[in-house]
Amino acid sequence: MNYERAFEDAVRRVKAEGRYRVFADLLRRKGEFPVARWRSEDGKVRDVTVWCSNDYLGMGQLPCVVESMKKAIDDVGSGAGGTRNISGTTHYHVELERSLADLHQKDAALLFTSGYIANEATLATLGKILPGLIMFSDELNHASMIEGVKGARCEKRIWRHNDIAHLEELLAAAPPDAPKVIAFESVYSMDGDIGPLEAVCDLAEKYGALTYLDEVHAVGLYGLRGAGIAEREGLMDRIDIVEGTLGKAFGVMGGYIAADGAIVDAIRSLAPGFIFTTALPPALAAGARASVEYLKAGHHLREQHQERAATLKAKLSDAGYPVMPSMTHIVPVKVGDPVLCKRMSDMLLEDHGIYVQPINYPTVPRGTERLRLTPTPLHSDEMFDQLIAALDDVWERACEQTGVARA
Ligand SMILES: Cc1ncc(COP(=O)(O)O)c(C=O)c1O
């Protein structure tokens, strides 16, 4: 076996499909986000405006978050020093879990090292705990949920995205006494649409299923205290397991679930992805708690965020750009071709200091490649105008250079 060739061929195939990923080398400027310093391949450094961060509210630079992290480092040092079971549970972790349980009005919460691991570990472990489980998973669920469902090694049914009639058809066809979990998201992060929470809860009740809701792109952002779409829609008590991240709107890192005490205790006791890994550093737990607590009260930021997203959508549409029909803070602009999308993203960065990552297959279906914009409360009207002027400049030129017709 020519191993080197195999790896090179794998990358060649990715490149041929126009989905080879190049990471932008960035340093944010604390206090000036969304401005960051970008280091290009020739080593030059220049300021750019970040348009694709999932630090949706700029919490990653909020003084109370940053100071909490510094204070925790000064207090206890850097790492946790072990798994949660073996000396890695600090009072910072305990307090953060309490804060998250309170946010979601649940008995308990459980921290994981990321939202990805929270999904993967929890869903896989449900398969161990519930013999004969059938998992009902929305077809557009995030990769971490797909891996969790696979890891559950149970029967699965994939329901068409947000298609409640299809979900009911599948539930009705399943044995009535089989344990069932319906796994879905509130905000789908690429299109910015929202899952039919209430209708799913109704079906779960009718067919005796547990509900598992990923609120990764909604926590901090929706509801009066930032618990997500379930809070906004008054459905928190009907969601059995809610999963979230501390790495997006909360601006730090880590993931969690919140649920009834018995559920959390069982996952805590049985999920390898929780048990066999070093706990989050205490400083992350401290920063995340500061952020969660700030956002429980900081509704003004959520209002500003929604206003910014609505204004940007309107401005782009008025300027003739194909904004996809998002119901949320996510502003996807359809490009429709991977090579064109990458070219536009490169030109925006190099010629205009505008950083927006191209979103190509397999993250989104082929033909729906897009620029996914995430305006924060810190993106000004002036920045909006700069973005539109830059798009005006690059779109036609990128079409000419790539030979791709404008969608
Ligand atoms: C829907 C969804 N769930 C889970 C995750 C994973 O969260 P984290 O970035 O904290 O690992 C993501 C990340 O993008 C996501 O989009």
Side-chain angles (χ1 to χ4, degrees):
M1 174 85 191
N2 183 335
Y3 290 108
E4 197 170 343
R5 168 76 68 77
F7 290 112
E8 284 167 0
D9 283 351
V11 172
R12 209 167 292 127
R13 282 194 296 277
V14 172
K15 281 188 172 161
E17 288 178 22
R19 57 187 183 94
Y20 182 68
R21 292 171 192 223
V22 180
F23 301 147
D25 180 345
L26 295 170
L27 286 172
R28 287 166 59 156
R29 283 186 196 281
K30 181 167 69 72
E32 289 176 33
F33 181 72
V35 175
R37 288 155 286 170
W38 168 59
R39 189 178 300 266
S40 54
E41 272 173 19
D42 59 11
K44 288 200 184 109
V45 178
R46 63 178 284 197
D47 278 0
V48 298
T49 308
V50 178
W51 280 94
C52 53
S53 175
N54 284 341
D55 182 356
Y56 292 120
L57 303 173
M59 294 299 286
Q61 67 177 14
L62 204 77
C64 74
V65 175
V66 175
E67 289 311 315
S68 302
M69 295 184 74
K70 284 186 187 163
K71 235 173 106 197
I73 288 186
D74 288 341
D75 182 21
V76 297
S78 58
T83 64
R84 289 292 297 278
N85 189 36
I86 304 179
S87 89
T89 296
T90 71
H91 194 57
Y92 293 100
H93 297 85
V94 174
E95 284 187 321
L96 175 56
E97 285 176 342
R98 275 190 199 134
S99 166
L100 291 166
D102 167 70
L103 175 67
H104 293 287
Q105 298 289 290
K106 297 288 185 201
D107 291 346
L110 188 68
L111 286 171
F112 294 81
T113 45
S114 71
Y116 187 102
I117 301 293
N119 272 335
E120 200 255 347
T122 305
L123 288 167
T125 303
L126 290 175
K128 284 193 211 162
I129 296 171
L130 303 168
L133 173 66
I134 306 175
M135 197 84 80
F136 296 79
S137 179
D138 185 287
E139 68 174 330
L140 290 193
N141 277 344
H142 187 257
S144 53
M145 297 170 84
I146 294 171
E147 287 307 313
V149 171
K150 275 191 209 155
R153 297 199 190 144
C154 63
E155 276 194 49
K156 63 170 191 270
R157 310 274 186 272
I158 310 299
W159 46 296
R160 285 191 295 274
H161 179 54
N162 281 355
D163 185 338
I164 208 71
H166 189 217
L167 174 61
E168 172 143 37
E169 206 180 287
L170 295 173
L171 284 164
D177 52 352
K180 304 173 185 74
V181 169
I182 305 174
F184 66 126
E185 299 181 23
S186 58
V187 173
Y188 286 84
S189 69
M190 290 300 141
D191 292 327
D193 57 333
I194 295 182
L197 269 64
E198 186 167 17
V200 170
C201 292
D202 290 346
L203 287 184
E205 232 164 72
K206 183 168 168 190
Y207 292 93
L210 289 179
T211 47
Y212 180 101
L213 180 64
D214 174 317
E215 291 251 36
V216 158
H217 292 274
V219 287
L221 303 177
Y222 294 90
L224 256 188
R225 294 201 315 154
I229 300 289
E231 182 187 22
R232 186 183 79 176
E233 299 185 1
L235 296 168
M236 285 203 287
D237 59 335
R238 299 183 70 198
I239 301 295
D240 295 297
I241 305 175
V242 58
E243 182 270 346
T245 184
L246 303 165
K248 300 189 195 293
F250 292 126
V252 188
M253 188 189 174
Y256 65 91
I257 57 163
D260 272 4
I263 294 179
V264 170
D265 206 22
I267 301 296
R268 186 184 73 84
S269 306
L270 292 167
F274 172 80
I275 298 170
F276 297 108
T277 190
T278 300
L280 286 172
L284 290 189
R289 178 164 174 256
S291 185
V292 170
E293 288 301 321
Y294 182 92
L295 285 178
K296 281 179 186 172
H299 197 60
H300 61 286
L301 268 187
R302 282 184 280 281
E303 284 174 348
Q304 287 168 19
H305 184 223
Q306 291 300 314
E307 180 281 321
R308 291 287 75 191
T311 303
L312 181 62
K313 284 179 198 168
K315 279 188 179 249
L316 284 165
S317 296
D318 289 351
Y321 287 102
V323 179
M324 298 169 77
S326 155
M327 297 153 78
T328 59
H329 57 284
I330 290 155
V331 184
V333 178
K334 188 170 167 189
V335 175
D337 180 88
V339 179
L340 178 62
C341 200
K342 170 82 173 78
R343 187 74 203 111
M344 282 176 61
S345 160
D346 288 347
M347 290 166 80
L348 286 168
L349 185 61
E350 286 156 16
D351 301 346
H352 295 276
I354 283 179
Y355 172 48
V356 51
Q357 198 66 27
I359 306 285
N360 288 346
Y361 177 84
T363 310
V364 295
R366 291 181 213 275
T368 72
E369 291 81 4
R370 66 199 68 174
L371 298 173
R372 174 184 178 271
L373 301 163
T374 52
T376 70
L378 301 160
H379 284 81
S380 62
D381 282 339
E382 197 191 339
M383 287 173 183
F384 286 2
D385 294 340
Q386 282 163 0
L387 171 73
I388 289 171
L391 285 170
D392 289 346
D393 175 53
V394 305
W395 205 309
E396 286 305 328
R397 282 201 294 131
C399 287
E400 277 163 28
Q401 288 179 15
T402 56
V404 177
R406 193 168 177 155

